[in-house]
Amino acid sequence: MKAFSEMFSEDDIKTFLGESNSDMGEEIDFEAFLRLYLDLQGRAVEKSGGLRSSFLKATTTTFHHAINESEKASYVAHINNYLAEDKFLKDFLPIDPATDALFDLAKDGVLLCKLINVAVPGTIDERAINTKKVLNPWERNENHTLCLNSAKAIGCTVVNIGTQDLVEARIQLLADLNLKKTPQLVELVDDSQEVEELLSLAPEKVLLKWMNFHLKKAGYQKQVTNFSTDLKDGEAYAHLLNALAPEHSTHSTLDAKDPTERANKVLEMAEKLDCKRYLTPKDIVEGSPNLNLAFVAQIFHHRNGLTDSKTTTFAEMMTDDAETSREERCFRFWMNSLGATTYVNNVFEDVRNGYVMLEIVDKIFPGTVNWKQANKPPIKMPFKQVENCNQVIQIGRNLNFSLVNVAGNDIVAGNKKLIIAFLWQLMRFSMLQLLKNLRTHSQGKEITDADILNWANNKVKKAGRTSQMESFKDKSLSSGIFFLELLSAVEPRVVNWGLVTKGETG
């Protein structure tokens, strides 16, 4: 508002603002502020005789998120279909896609939490969701935090999203696109090395690989590389459905000259496979990536066209290192919890280009990464990956990590032992930083193991629980009871005691 001081006095500005906004003590959002600004701008132009002063020459713009009505209608249909019988939401469903009821219902976070449980059942203990008819800001914030953390845990992309925003989650049909849920996917590869690569692929990439596998068998010459432009003409869909459902196969789909007509025939054929119509012919022709992704995932779910012939063979070829798997899972969860831009699907594969490592290091120790020398994905040249990884190693050495005979090439090569060694030191450094911050808040007092031990025991005792631990090597900790009681003491709703056992056996 200072910019207007050359034309109006402070009292004049207050008067104008009072005319536009009766309650000057009330907080306003950005859109309201912008309206006030434009009103003052109009008065300034009028006062100057229609001439803009220097500070008004720049065009004032505001950005609006464009809402794809087709996508909104698809999401609404999805919600109405899967949550119609939910005890809490049934009073609000079905949602009318022609209104903004979807966004109003999502504000309290209950709908989003429910959708996460639809995607991956059991992710959220529904007793932890605040489901009162009217929620206060703290309860609403708790729901949003629960939703966002759970979304990260199941693999949703949650970048620059806070508790006041909505989360864009992936369709739950992608949950089966991995070898554990659908071992028949091994039919897509030819040897054990390719199986390792398949394990590391994100669900969307697996879906593309599956689609191209069937298209190649059907004689389709083109390669589908995305869920947008490559599917606009509907030809890939027509060949895919003819290959997967020969009993419904028809040449009329391929013979159709108009893309919209072909897309309509594709959807009619898909409906014969019980694929719900979440998109329209227009969505296919316009190349809507989200809706096409959902549609292909639905086709996979109803008719994947794979067999069990090679499952046993590849299962024998794959080594099952339980210890390494546990460590990978642990580091993956930790890395994703830091809020980096890139989501980690598989630690050993995703860190090889070095960029994820740089993001993680920058989150833990801001300012250490020279982003001018970093190479952002996609990185096609191997030496660019080595450059990233060399910077990671150099930062590790600057932080006094033990990295004898370790080079960037080792990370690029996917050396699991060395990657885990580096990540362990990085996680340890992060924990030390946390303790250092605690020490700062404790008037410089060093935080010792005894301090942490006493805090945990006192927390459990004050909660009315009986477990105590003598040290971090206490064998009684193996039952898990103490940790559950500590978690419950911090937040009572996180532990479902109906599922807790005595922990007497493995």
Side-chain angles (χ1 to χ4, degrees):
M1 292 300 181
K2 289 182 180 179
F4 291 103
S5 61
E6 66 182 68
M7 304 197 71
F8 301 117
S9 68
E10 185 175 340
D11 290 336
D12 288 336
I13 293 176
K14 286 183 178 180
T15 301
F16 295 149
L17 292 177
E19 293 173 0
S20 302
N21 187 34
S22 58
D23 189 355
M24 294 296 291
E26 181 184 359
E27 289 188 3
I28 60 174
D29 58 21
F30 177 74
E31 293 296 332
F33 166 79
L34 187 60
R35 284 194 295 270
L36 293 173
Y37 181 89
L38 292 175
D39 179 56
L40 281 175
Q41 187 184 68
R43 292 173 187 265
V45 172
E46 184 179 351
K47 184 175 180 179
S48 63
L51 298 175
R52 291 172 177 259
S53 59
S54 59
F55 74 92
L56 293 174
K57 289 180 180 178
T59 303
T60 303
T61 60
T62 183
F63 295 96
H64 296 276
H65 291 289
I67 298 174
N68 186 309
E69 293 298 327
S70 295
E71 287 194 21
K72 185 175 80 168
S74 297
Y75 299 147
V76 166
H78 176 76
I79 292 166
N80 289 340
N81 181 51
Y82 283 93
L83 293 172
E85 301 303 320
D86 185 271
K87 292 180 180 179
F88 177 79
L89 293 175
K90 65 181 181 181
D91 293 337
F92 305 95
L93 301 180
I95 299 171
D96 183 356
T99 68
D100 288 336
L102 169 64
F103 307 112
D104 292 333
L105 184 56
K107 285 180 181 178
D108 285 342
V110 178
L111 172 64
L112 299 175
C113 289
K114 298 277 188 180
L115 283 174
I116 287 174
N117 273 351
V118 168
V120 182
T123 300
I124 298 175
D125 185 342
E126 297 206 359
R127 296 175 304 174
I129 306 173
N130 296 302
T131 55
K132 295 189 303 186
K133 294 293 184 182
V134 179
L135 300 180
N136 62 44
W138 294 275
E139 291 169 330
R140 187 180 295 116
N141 191 69
E142 280 185 344
N143 282 349
H144 292 162
T145 302
L146 177 63
C147 167
L148 291 170
N149 290 339
S150 301
K152 290 178 185 178
I154 65 173
C156 293
T157 303
V158 186
V159 180
N160 293 328
I161 293 177
T163 57
Q164 301 303 313
D165 305 301
L166 298 182
V167 58
E168 179 187 351
R170 293 182 290 181
I171 301 296
Q172 85 245 25
L173 292 174
L174 297 184
D176 290 337
L177 283 158
N178 58 70
L179 279 173
K180 291 182 179 179
K181 293 287 186 68
T182 312
Q184 296 89 343
L185 284 168
V186 295
E187 190 176 346
L188 306 183
V189 298
D190 295 322
D191 55 45
S192 58
Q193 184 176 355
E194 290 187 355
V195 172
E196 292 283 341
E197 294 176 1
L198 186 63
L199 283 167
S200 66
L201 289 180
E204 293 90 339
K205 298 292 185 182
V206 175
L207 199 58
L208 284 174
K209 193 174 185 70
W210 166 80
M211 192 175 186
N212 284 310
F213 171 78
H214 284 298
L215 289 175
K216 184 178 180 180
K217 288 174 63 177
Y220 187 65
Q221 300 299 319
K222 299 177 183 177
Q223 184 88 355
V224 177
T225 60
N226 58 63
F227 292 102
S228 181
T229 55
D230 289 355
L231 299 176
K232 280 186 174 183
D233 57 15
E235 289 185 1
Y237 278 137
H239 281 89
L240 178 66
L241 290 172
N242 281 343
L244 294 175
E247 70 275 20
H248 301 306
S249 177
T250 171
H251 288 289
S252 62
T253 306
L254 288 170
D255 293 339
K257 302 299 182 183
D258 179 55
T260 303
E261 180 187 354
R262 186 182 299 118
N264 190 53
K265 290 182 178 295
V266 163
L267 292 177
E268 290 175 356
M269 192 172 177
E271 284 186 341
K272 295 177 182 178
L273 295 177
D274 294 327
C275 292
K276 292 181 175 61
R277 185 176 284 210
Y278 284 156
L279 77 172
T280 65
K282 181 182 177 183
D283 298 324
I284 294 178
V285 174
E286 291 182 349
S288 173
N290 289 337
L291 296 181
N292 276 315
L293 170 63
F295 183 50
V296 177
Q298 270 213 328
I299 296 173
F300 174 88
H301 183 73
H302 289 283
R303 185 76 65 89
N304 62 40
L306 303 174
T307 65
D308 295 317
S309 59
K310 296 168 69 175
T311 303
T312 304
T313 304
F314 275 100
E316 292 172 353
M317 294 173 67
M318 292 172 62
T319 57
D320 184 18
D321 187 342
E323 184 65 28
T324 301
S325 297
R326 282 196 296 270
E327 289 178 329
E328 188 278 332
R329 182 173 181 270
C330 172
F331 287 122
R332 172 160 38 91
F333 283 172
W334 170 69
M335 293 168 75
N336 287 328
S337 73
L338 297 175
T341 303
T342 307
Y343 182 82
V344 179
N345 288 291
N346 181 286
V347 170
F348 301 126
E349 290 299 322
D350 293 353
V351 303
R352 290 174 63 178
N353 63 18
Y355 194 80
V356 177
M357 286 283 216
L358 290 174
E359 287 187 304
I360 299 301
V361 169
D362 191 59
K363 286 289 182 181
I364 297 171
F365 204 77
T368 57
V369 177
N370 184 349
W371 289 109
K372 292 182 179 179
Q373 296 180 3
N375 302 293
K376 191 173 184 179
I379 306 173
K380 296 182 179 180
M381 304 301 292
F383 73 90
K384 293 290 186 181
Q385 298 180 3
V386 175
E387 285 180 359
N388 283 349
C389 294
N390 281 341
Q391 185 178 175
V392 170
I393 296 299
Q394 185 56 51
I395 292 172
R397 291 200 172 101
N398 294 342
L399 296 174
N400 296 319
F401 289 4
S402 176
L403 298 169
V404 180
N405 296 326
V406 180
N409 277 324
D410 297 311
I411 297 177
V412 176
N415 188 314
K416 294 181 179 181
K417 183 178 179 180
L418 296 180
I419 289 172
I420 286 177
F422 183 87
L423 288 174
W424 162 243
Q425 293 181 82
L426 198 58
M427 182 186 284
R428 180 178 178 274
F429 182 84
S430 176
M431 294 301 104
L432 290 175
Q433 287 296 108
L434 174 62
L435 293 176
K436 182 179 179 181
N437 292 336
L438 288 173
R439 186 168 69 245
T440 301
H441 292 296
S442 302
Q443 291 77 45
K445 179 181 178 295
E446 187 77 25
I447 300 296
T448 65
D449 286 1
D451 292 323
I452 299 173
L453 194 71
N454 289 333
W455 169 82
N457 283 328
N458 289 334
K459 198 76 176 176
V460 171
K461 187 176 180 180
K462 287 180 180 179
R465 300 288 177 176
T466 57
S467 297
Q468 296 282 280
M469 66 173 179
E470 295 180 0
S471 70
F472 293 114
K473 296 181 179 181
D474 193 332
K475 292 184 179 180
S476 67
L477 295 176
S478 63
S479 70
I481 298 296
F482 179 81
F483 293 122
L484 288 170
E485 292 189 345
L486 178 59
L487 288 167
S488 180
V490 174
E491 173 49 73
R493 295 179 300 171
V494 301
V495 178
N496 182 352
W497 290 106
L499 301 177
V500 177
T501 66
K502 293 181 180 181
E504 295 173 344
T505 66

